Structure formats: structure tokens, C-alpha cells
Amino acid sequence: MPADEQSVQSVALRRRRYTGETFQQAHRAIKRLTTGAAPIPTPQSPAQERLEARVLLNLLEYRNLYTRYPLGIEAVQPTPDGIALRVESVERAAEILFALLPAHAPGEEVHGLPGLRIVNRLQSAIELQVLNQPTQLRLRGLPASLWHRAEQIMLTKWIDPDAMQLCWRTAPKTWTSAEREHMTVLEDDSEPFIRRCLRGSWLGSALLRRAALFHTVANTYFVDGYRGLGLNAMRWVMRSSHAPQHGPGAQHLVAALLDPVYGVPLRLIRFRGDTDESSGSDQHFVLEDSNKTARLELHASVERPSEFLNPELWKAILRRIPAALPANGLPHAVTISLGNAG
């Protein structure tokens, strides 16, 4: 990393656009990195990478309410050995806990992430870890009382404790047999689908570590998606809703992802839509890495909010949408690619 203070500040300002951290948090993170390290580090262990990919998948799949930030995540703090997510609200926290914490009903697959446990409760955060693996996930942004409240909402709204084994409660320090069996399936690289999932998990991790881009460089107000199997690469499909006539659109998000220093190692291979985002047409971007291990398909729609989105929340969303282009603008090379992609 750059040694002089002016360069450190410049890198920190760029990093926080991707992570949503405060300047002080980004500055401290950059100062801690070793010389030559990437400003947004990758996970040190495959286990951490796989955990983050599964976390992103569950953040995309479990969307039952609208939030001020597209994923309900205000900021991320990535480090080489873990990641912290700043959760927007207690309601979104309940959704996330439901999506992540493992539970099991007889005769069914494990719901959630096998082996994941709450290992520490702090004043304004909880720490989770996959048992016996070098993984770290911190959920922060709420006082301890509200994390307990989020757990109660989860249990009351979505889970019948009498019908399901709550693995994270009944076996807090050991794997259940159902979890072991399910994890064996998830990591059986003799199966082509699992092998592609494991090879493509780096992209899920990389996107989670840059999750703030959806609300720092584009007028996104909602994101969901899923993971699917392509002919060669693992497909990460993301559907984003964008506010009409407010702020920069989805192509600025794509440009930021393609940044050679702060972005992800993808290239734009296909584009459908109108490059003039003021026309209000949908846009479809397909990006892929050179080794064809992972593909990102972004379906961006300019649309008015659903009738289920509270008007006051919509006003809050419009207030936080970036009003102008990012300081670095839209790279010329990306503009050309968008115009000519087939």
C-alpha cells in the first residue's frame, strides 16, 4: 500500500465507496495492510471465502421487506480473516439470522448454514463462526438488546421450535449429525454442480466485500437474486431495482466493479438495453472472469416503488441516493464496451 499519508487518504476514500465504511475505518484498514496488498483484501482461507459466498446468497434470497439500503446492509468491513456487516434494522437482522442460523426438521435438509454458531455477544454486535473452521462473521449496528429482539422475531415469525431442531441452540459447541451430512454434500467436489459452486464462490465473497457499491454509486433501492448453474461457470444472478430520474444508474455500478484496482476480475461479455439510462429501459449486463469460473448477470430495472414500500421509507431512500456521478466518473473503456457489447 502507499506509504505517504496523502496516498493513504486517497485509497481510503476510494475503498469506502465500495465498503460504506466511515473514512476513519477505511483509513485504519489501509494503514494496517502490508505493502503491496490490495485495498480490499480477499479472504485468507477457502472456508472464509465459502462462508461469505453463502452469506451473500442468503442475503439475496431472503428478502421479505424493503429497507433503506438495497440489501439492508449499510456497510461492510472486510479483513483478510473475516468480515463485518452493519445491519440496517432489527427487522432485517431477524431475516438475516433466519437465513443463516442452521435449523433442521426430520426428513428435510438443514436450513441455514451448517455449523454456524453465535460465538460471542458484544455491546453492539454478535460474532458468528463455523465450528472448527477459520471463519469470522460479525453482524453489527444494533445494541445487544435488539439482537436478542431480532432472535425472538425470527423464532416467532418464521420458525416453529416444536417442529424443528434449532442446531445453533441445541448443539452450540458441536456439529449435529444432520449438519455434518448436509455439509458433506455441500463440499462433495466429485459432483460437477458442487465443484462449480466451490470454484465460483470467490465471486460471491468479492461481491459481499463490495456490497456498499449498490448504494454509493448507483440509484439502486432493492436487490435480490439467486445462484444457478451455467454451461461452464457458476452463475450469480442479481436483480436490481433503480429509482427513475434520480441519480446515476446501473452502468456506474458495473464500471465500479470493473475497476482494475478496487473491483473484481471480471470482463463485460454481453450487454442488452439502452445506454441512455434516462430512457427508463431495462438493462442486462453479463460479466465473466477469464477462467470462466464465475459469471455475474445483473438485471437492472428502472421502476417506481412497489405499493408495499412505505412512502416515508421511499423518501429516505431518495435522500440517500447519490445525486451525481462518482468522483472518478464512468471509465471511457467501460462506456465503449457498453455501447458495443453484443
Side-chain angles (χ1 to χ4, degrees), residues 254 258 267-271 275 285 331-342:
V254 173
L258 294 178
R267 57 192 177 91
L268 183 68
I269 62 171
R270 189 175 306 130
F271 171 73
T275 56
F285 307 85
H332 178 69
V334 175
T335 306
I336 298 300
S337 297
L338 291 177
N340 296 332

Side-chain angles (χ1 to χ4, degrees), residues 102-112 114 164-165 167 178-179 181-182 185-186:
H104 177 248
E108 298 183 5
E109 292 185 349
V110 172
H111 170 85
M164 299 188 74
Q165 178 189 12
C167 306
E179 287 178 292
E181 181 179 351
H182 190 53
V185 173
L186 287 176

Side-chain angles (χ1 to χ4, degrees), residues 221-244:
Y221 66 87
F222 188 81
V223 178
D224 66 4
Y226 59 93
R227 187 178 62 179
L229 186 62
L231 293 176
N232 297 303
M234 176 52 58
R235 297 168 59 231
W236 290 87
V237 181
M238 304 181 77
R239 299 169 297 208
S240 58
S241 297
H242 297 263

Side-chain angles (χ1 to χ4, degrees), residues 63-68 221-222 304-314 317:
R63 299 308 316 274
N64 296 298
L65 57 93
Y66 286 100
T67 50
R68 184 169 177 237
Y221 66 87
F222 188 81
R304 297 193 177 278
S306 162
E307 61 180 1
F308 298 107
L309 199 161
N310 182 285
E312 291 304 314
L313 176 58
W314 178 242
I317 290 172

Side-chain angles (χ1 to χ4, degrees), residues 190-298:
S190 66
E191 291 291 331
F193 176 77
I194 300 300
R195 187 162 57 247
R196 291 182 189 179
C197 285
L198 296 176
R199 289 181 67 215
S201 63
W202 69 268
L203 179 55
S205 171
L207 292 172
L208 183 67
R209 289 174 170 244
R210 294 160 176 80
L213 278 179
F214 285 101
H215 62 260
T216 62
V217 302
N219 56 358
T220 321
Y221 66 87
F222 188 81
V223 178
D224 66 4
Y226 59 93
R227 187 178 62 179
L229 186 62
L231 293 176
N232 297 303
M234 176 52 58
R235 297 168 59 231
W236 290 87
V237 181
M238 304 181 77
R239 299 169 297 208
S240 58
S241 297
H242 297 263
Q245 301 177 335
H246 287 86
Q251 58 181 304
H252 304 290
L253 169 62
V254 173
L257 286 173
L258 294 178
D259 186 277
V261 177
Y262 298 84
V264 292
L266 298 173
R267 57 192 177 91
L268 183 68
I269 62 171
R270 189 175 306 130
F271 171 73
R272 291 285 186 275
D274 196 324
T275 56
D276 178 9
E277 292 177 319
S278 64
S279 69
S281 64
D282 292 348
Q283 296 177 314
H284 181 199
F285 307 85
V286 179
L287 302 94
E288 192 174 69
D289 69 306
S290 58
N291 294 324
K292 297 185 177 180
T293 64
R295 170 179 290 201
L296 173 61
E297 299 180 16
L298 177 63

